[in-house]
Amino acid sequence: MRHKHKGYHVPTISLIIPAAGLGTRFHQSSGAAFSKSRRRDSKLFYDLAGEPVLARTLAAFVEIPEIREVVLAVSPGMRSEIKRVLGRAACQKIRYVTGAKTRAGSVLSALRRTSPSSEWVMVHDGARPLVTTAAIRQLIRGSVGWDGVILARKVIPTIKRVLRSDGRIESTVDRSTLYEAETPQMVRRSVLIKAYKMNPCALQATDEAGLLESIGARVRVISHDGWNPKITTVTDLFLAESMIQNSNPTCTRTGIGFDTHRLVPGRKLWLGGIAIPSPKGSLGHSDGDALLHAIADAMLGVIGRGDIGEWFPDKDPRWKDVKSGVIVEKVLAESKKTGWLPYHVDSNIILETPRLGPYKMKIRRRIARLLQLPIEDVSVKARTREGLGAEGEGLAITCQAVVSMKRIQIAEGDIRKRRS
Ligand code: MG
């Protein structure tokens, strides 16, 4: 939360997201990257590191309390899809208008739906999902005393001015005063309305700053060094994805699990959910499946939720003789709830006898089904201890597991808060 200094005036802002664009260049650039059936989808619904582009765009604004309402300018038919991908809770603040042919037309339709009690209108492209909460805050801070402020980046490449006819270079442009205009653009609502009224070419304007400039209003750039691209082509989408993956090491995590059970006569030997014919079985409150216990513990490690001893205490009669598959399923459900999915499992079974060769495939298949993974992503290795130690003497079985997991979109489309 912003500190409320004495005398600090908290601005009221309506956020407008023009999202009605056809994405023609995006689909032209897609080649074989996506199936034909997706060609008609808006690029805003494409997956970007586990979340739809539009959900990521909106996430940066969720933590800005000055933003009172969100008006989305969309094409007919997008509305129900937006509700589906964002979830009901996230959509409560959102109002919809039908977009127009041009961006400025869409913004005008949305502007008419904004509350007159908002002093400011902030416009942000639906296809700029990498904007950060910090940059938005910077913009709001910079608005004091101005009619408008826009996020912009200093032009770095060398720019040539050429003759239209044959491309001959006329001059090298002094780039020290050149900026590339981005969004968000934050403008006084009354001034923007006036600009639409006064400028006869308003509907052709490519940004809000341009409209304000045309009536002589005072607009300034807020320079930033981040990367806030507009997703125009499929290459942009892939670049943005790798940027997110690289800048967010918590997108994947690895958990480690370990379990030992005593081997005693008169018990079944369960391993990976398969009953292995054996004169001895593992002693335990549950079915004693050390492999599934190690896997479940590794997953709890990833999500930081303790260990299975805490989740399934052996004092609790509910878990007496419980099939360990149930334990894995419960842990998987909890993982999904916290936004994590396994994508690879490696494991060791340390056991002297019986030899597990004939059962390994069955065990892998069973674990793959429990974790909803392809069988290639589940590895089960079996070792003996050459007669040494408790396992070697046939007194115990030990299992180890390493489970790799990736972050997924939070259930029910809840917009995940972006870490800024
Ligand atoms: Mg155990």
Side-chain angles (χ1 to χ4, degrees), residues 100-215:
K101 281 206 180 70
T102 63
R103 174 204 156 88
S106 291
V107 171
L108 178 60
S109 304
L111 179 62
R112 289 185 176 131
R113 281 297 300 274
T114 56
S115 164
S117 66
S118 288
E119 298 159 85
W120 296 88
V121 167
M122 190 182 276
V123 181
H124 184 67
D125 301 324
R128 275 192 207 271
L130 297 188
V131 66
T132 63
T133 303
I136 300 164
R137 290 219 164 284
Q138 212 185 329
L139 199 67
I140 295 173
R141 275 198 304 273
S143 67
V144 179
W146 293 82
D147 293 322
V149 283
I150 73 169
L151 204 62
R153 222 173 111 95
K154 230 173 173 340
V155 168
I156 294 163
T158 299
I159 305 283
K160 303 290 184 189
R161 176 170 286 117
V162 304
L163 290 176
R164 211 187 291 268
S165 55
D166 60 356
R168 179 178 153 178
I169 295 172
E170 258 191 324
S171 62
T172 299
V173 179
D174 171 19
R175 66 193 162 173
S176 65
T177 57
L178 290 186
Y179 283 82
E180 183 182 340
E182 298 178 354
T183 69
Q185 303 203 350
M186 179 176 165
V187 295
R188 284 189 193 279
R189 186 175 180 275
S190 58
V191 182
L192 185 61
I193 291 172
K194 190 170 152 196
Y196 269 107
K197 278 191 190 137
M198 286 174 62
N199 184 336
C201 305
L203 295 183
Q204 267 66 56
T206 53
D207 71 348
E208 292 60 54
L211 274 168
L212 262 65
E213 293 154 33
S214 73
I215 60 163

Side-chain angles (χ1 to χ4, degrees), residues 257-263 269 271 282 289-291 294 347-352 356 381-383 385 390-392 395-401:
F258 171 95
D259 196 28
T260 293
H261 281 255
R262 278 177 197 277
L263 291 177
L269 178 60
L271 272 175
S282 46
D289 192 324
L291 182 55
S347 62
N348 288 329
I349 303 169
I350 300 150
L351 178 70
E352 207 65 18
L356 294 173
K381 311 191 297 298
R383 314 292 302 167
R385 291 203 62 193
E391 294 89 356
L395 301 174
I397 178 170
T398 291
C399 291
Q400 301 169 314

Side-chain angles (χ1 to χ4, degrees), residues 331-342:
V331 170
L332 179 64
E334 183 66 16
S335 302
K336 285 184 183 172
K337 230 171 30 185
T338 52
W340 292 91
L341 263 190

